[in-house]
Amino acid sequence: MSDNTKPSAEMWDKRYGADTFAYGESPNAYFKEKLSQIKPGKLLLPAEGEGRNAAFALSLGWDVEAFDISKEGKLKAEKLAVDQPGTLNYQIKDALEIAYPENSFDAVSFVYAHFPPDLRKTVYQKMLKALKPGGYIVLEGFGKKQIEYQAHQKSGGPRNADFLFSMEDMHSLFKGFEVLEMLEGEVQLQEGIYHQGQAWVLRFLGKKL
């Protein structure tokens, strides 16, 4: 989820239904760097969209479970997954409806998975319960200051600051995790047509205790 305060399946189907990939076919840079350092296993990708991160994970030999509300996103993801060594199971489900067994994933990655503030903690806790002890979290999302960048950059993100992350959110969402890395700052995004230019992001790498 990202650029509107009330995203809908119809909105995302329209965006992902275009011939081009809205956020590109290459994986998110932080996701790519960190996942490459973790032994492949089973990976969960919430709000996966067109599958750019799933396809990269598959190429490393990960088995990937993914979900999103967009059927067009799933079609794109399945195209990228062709001939990759790992397996992809992609479901069209809302984050509140999807269910996974506890302690069943070796890693969970949230890449620009922005949810309404009243739902965020519920959704994240649900996904984190599915992570095995010793499993990894990889996150990149827009920080609160991204609102300021939207006035002069085309780097995207929700227009409602309540949907954006703060360092306090990271501590709250991942309470009880070993913090391997937690960063906040400016980056240059080159991800398709909707994430272009300078942006303010938070990055988190953690391990479930």
Side-chain angles (χ1 to χ4, degrees):
M1 297 184 178
S2 277
D3 296 326
N4 289 337
T5 57
K6 294 182 179 180
S8 66
E10 292 76 17
M11 187 209 86
W12 289 114
D13 281 344
K14 182 177 179 180
R15 179 168 294 188
Y16 295 152
D19 291 336
T20 56
F21 281 70
Y23 301 100
E25 298 181 41
S26 299
N28 170 264
Y30 189 69
F31 172 82
K32 178 181 179 180
E33 176 189 345
K34 298 308 175 184
L35 196 72
S36 299
Q37 299 170 5
I38 303 171
K39 181 181 177 181
K42 192 172 181 181
L43 170 67
L44 174 59
L45 293 176
E48 173 53 9
E50 296 168 301
R52 62 193 178 106
N53 297 310
F56 175 74
L58 292 170
S59 75
L60 296 180
W62 288 83
D63 291 324
V64 178
E65 291 276 345
F67 72 88
D68 202 285
I69 58 174
S70 171
K71 64 180 185 297
E72 296 292 342
K74 179 181 179 180
L75 290 173
K76 288 268 191 70
E78 289 175 338
K79 289 180 181 178
L80 286 183
V82 172
D83 297 329
Q84 297 293 356
T87 60
L88 171 65
N89 181 37
Y90 191 124
Q91 298 185 64
I92 302 172
K93 285 283 184 74
D94 182 271
L96 293 176
E97 299 173 345
I98 198 87
Y100 296 105
E102 290 189 18
N103 304 324
S104 57
F105 291 96
D106 300 290
V108 177
S109 184
F110 301 95
V111 179
Y112 298 108
H114 291 272
F115 296 95
D118 57 331
L119 300 179
R120 178 193 295 148
K121 192 166 186 177
T122 298
V123 171
Y124 271 59
Q125 286 182 343
K126 186 178 185 181
M127 302 304 142
L128 296 178
K129 284 182 180 179
L131 183 65
K132 297 175 183 178
Y136 291 88
I137 288 291
V138 181
L139 176 145
E140 179 167 299
F142 290 112
K144 296 288 187 183
K145 284 180 65 175
Q146 179 63 9
I147 291 292
E148 301 172 18
Y149 286 73
Q150 290 169 346
H152 54 87
Q153 297 286 329
K154 295 182 179 180
S155 50
R159 299 286 175 172
N160 184 338
D162 291 338
F163 282 62
L164 305 176
F165 293 112
S166 66
M167 279 293 192
E168 290 75 17
D169 292 326
M170 295 296 99
H171 287 292
S172 175
L173 290 171
F174 304 118
K175 186 176 181 179
F177 279 71
E178 179 184 356
V179 178
L180 303 177
E181 185 170 79
M182 185 158 55
L183 307 168
E184 181 178 19
E186 185 179 279
V187 299
Q188 184 76 21
L189 293 180
Q190 294 182 334
E191 301 181 330
I193 61 175
Y194 290 100
H195 283 177
Q196 284 291 326
Q198 292 175 319
W200 190 265
V201 304
L202 273 76
R203 290 172 168 175
F204 180 86
L205 177 68
K207 193 173 185 179
K208 188 174 183 179
L209 299 175

